Amino acid sequence: MKKNDFEQLVDRQYAALFRFALSLSKSEAEAADLTQQTFFLWASKGHQLRDRSKAKSWLFTTLYREFLGRRRHEGRFPKVELDEVGEEEMSILPNVNALDSATLLQALREVEELFRAPVTLFYLEQFSYQEIADVLEVPIGTVMSRLSRGKAQLRQRLLSKEEALGNKIVSFQSERKEKGHG
Amino acid sequence: MDNREARFILSAYRPGGQDASDPRFAEALDQVRRDPILEQWFRDSLTFDTAMTDKLRAMTTPTDLRENILAGLKISRVSDWKSRLAKWAIAAALILSAALGSLIWHNTRPTRLADWQTQALDVISSLVRNESSFDSQSNQPAELIAWLRVNHAPAAQKLPDNLNKLASLGCKTFSSNGISVSVICFMRPDGGLIHLITTNAPAPSARPLKTTPKSAQQGEWATATWREGDRIYMLALEGSRDQLQSYLL
């Protein structure tokens, strides 16, 4: 890969990769390190990718693998809870505009690791479920399940933060009616 | 499909409308049109998702991250290779023990590289894939040549002028059927790598190498091989012969 090509790829993707890493990792320093490591891996192995249009997906996949590898190495891979998403969680939405980015990021980091990656890819890059499946190397059905659960967890965390900040909770009046219908 | 199932599927529906024609969402979207309660949930959900996207994208990145990535590229290439020394030692032993019967004068064949040349390309590939490391590292080619001489490894008497202008990364030595071979890796201005392989010339044979570089293309590798005094040199890069040509001057 030519130097200019590499720089262009960095310019196009480094911010999004950093934000993805930031949502996964515990600190800005770790996120920056993950981002840099991803590009270094691209510099040494990216030439093996025949289809250059998949460079973006390759970068996100590689960053995620790198993150998982470090977590496994540290023995911190979390226990996964697959509780059902409560009906209430689906029906009440926090007022995101009343929260700042730092609070959103904090809430995102509190989402279980398994669900956090697809949710971040969905919001950050507006990846389709197929693209998320490609990056995380899981079936489409799993992506939809994790998105559903991850978003529900995120809403819960945001609602908690809203309550802590004294913000108004926006709920749907119509939900009660819907529940009444079964 | 009930509302719960529709909401489950629509969790993957992007707020920008990119998925409007995706058949996987069709039934859930039909359900949205039929049910005003679900429609309200869907509308609010899209608003929530849009706000989340905007907020997350507004997060700032460290000001020096881009520069650190670009500046760290060269360092990464070198340091990653270094960490794989043990793996290389095992791999090299296996390769060399399996490589029998190579003869240096075979490199005079026009389209087929000799075994030592093929092995050299394998060694380089191993370095690039971070599976082995340099024996010595320096960005000064002269320092690497000096290191090779001190260690009784084949060292170039004189580098081609255009090669001598490049910064080096490191050197590595290996043995092919009892014949010592050395590799020096250089960083090209376009970010790629180019490699000089040196070995001692064998006793005069029926098909001696010419002093004029002879080029060959083997897969992604472009090579040029020539003899100079008691040394045989091969220059190699992943690319075309045209790219290689300018470094032979």
Side-chain angles (χ1 to χ4, degrees), chain A residues 20-35:
Chain A
F20 181 44
L22 196 58
S23 74
L24 298 171
S25 58
K26 301 294 181 189
S27 68
E28 186 175 304
E30 186 185 1
D33 187 62
L34 274 170
T35 307

Side-chain angles (χ1 to χ4, degrees), chain B residues 65-229:
Chain B
L65 179 59
R66 178 185 178 277
E67 283 66 32
N68 286 345
I69 291 168
L70 297 175
L73 174 61
K74 291 180 184 178
I75 297 168
S76 171
R77 279 179 170 161
V78 174
S79 60
D80 284 352
W81 293 337
K82 193 175 182 180
S83 68
R84 305 295 181 102
L85 180 60
K87 285 185 179 176
W88 154 246
I90 296 168
L94 291 172
I95 291 169
L96 294 177
S97 65
L100 298 171
S102 71
L103 297 170
I104 286 180
W105 51 89
H106 281 181
N107 65 3
T108 55
R109 291 177 184 174
T111 56
R112 186 179 167 190
L113 298 178
D115 287 352
W116 69 273
Q117 292 174 297
T118 305
Q119 284 182 41
L121 297 181
D122 287 343
V123 167
I124 294 165
S125 295
S126 171
L127 287 166
V128 172
R129 289 197 304 266
N130 302 329
E131 292 170 359
S132 65
S133 68
F134 290 119
D135 294 337
S136 179
Q137 295 174 15
S138 172
N139 59 6
Q140 301 294 324
E143 289 182 9
L144 296 175
I145 290 173
W147 185 91
L148 290 169
R149 285 178 181 152
V150 166
N151 287 278
H152 309 291
Q157 302 285 5
K158 180 180 179 300
L159 293 175
D161 287 344
N162 283 347
L163 200 63
N164 203 27
K165 294 173 186 170
L166 303 181
S168 56
L169 291 173
C171 67
K172 188 163 189 66
T173 62
F174 66 97
S175 177
S176 176
N177 296 322
I179 300 164
S180 293
V181 183
S182 69
V183 176
I184 300 179
C185 300
F186 299 83
M187 180 71 79
R188 300 189 333 242
D190 62 4
L193 301 175
I194 185 167
H195 318 274
L196 179 69
I197 299 96
T198 308
T199 189
N200 296 319
S205 72
R207 301 170 65 190
L209 266 171
K210 296 177 181 176
T211 55
T212 308
K214 190 169 193 173
S215 63
Q217 187 82 34
Q218 178 157 312
E220 295 180 341
W221 288 101
T223 66
T225 309
W226 71 98
R227 180 171 184 155
E228 196 171 307

Side-chain angles (χ1 to χ4, degrees), chain A residues 64-111:
Chain A
Y64 188 61
R65 282 182 184 164
E66 187 71 10
F67 167 75
L68 290 180
R70 292 182 187 190
R71 282 292 175 272
R72 286 192 196 101
H73 183 70
E74 294 166 7
R76 283 160 48 191
F77 201 71
K79 177 174 174 284
V80 177
E81 299 289 350
L82 292 174
D83 295 338
E84 282 297 311
V85 178
E87 193 76 15
E88 192 68 20
E89 295 167 16
M90 300 287 284
S91 61
I92 302 175
L93 292 176
N95 181 8
V96 176
N97 289 325
L99 301 169
D100 59 24
S101 293
T103 305
L104 290 182
L105 179 62
Q106 184 57 37
L108 195 57
R109 281 175 167 165
E110 289 171 12
V111 172

Side-chain angles (χ1 to χ4, degrees), chain A residues 112-129:
Chain A
E112 281 180 61
E113 201 168 283
L114 192 64
F115 307 139
R116 201 186 318 151
V119 168
T120 306
L121 292 173
F122 178 86
Y123 285 129
L124 193 63
E125 281 300 296
Q126 295 213 340
F127 274 13
S128 69
Y129 58 84

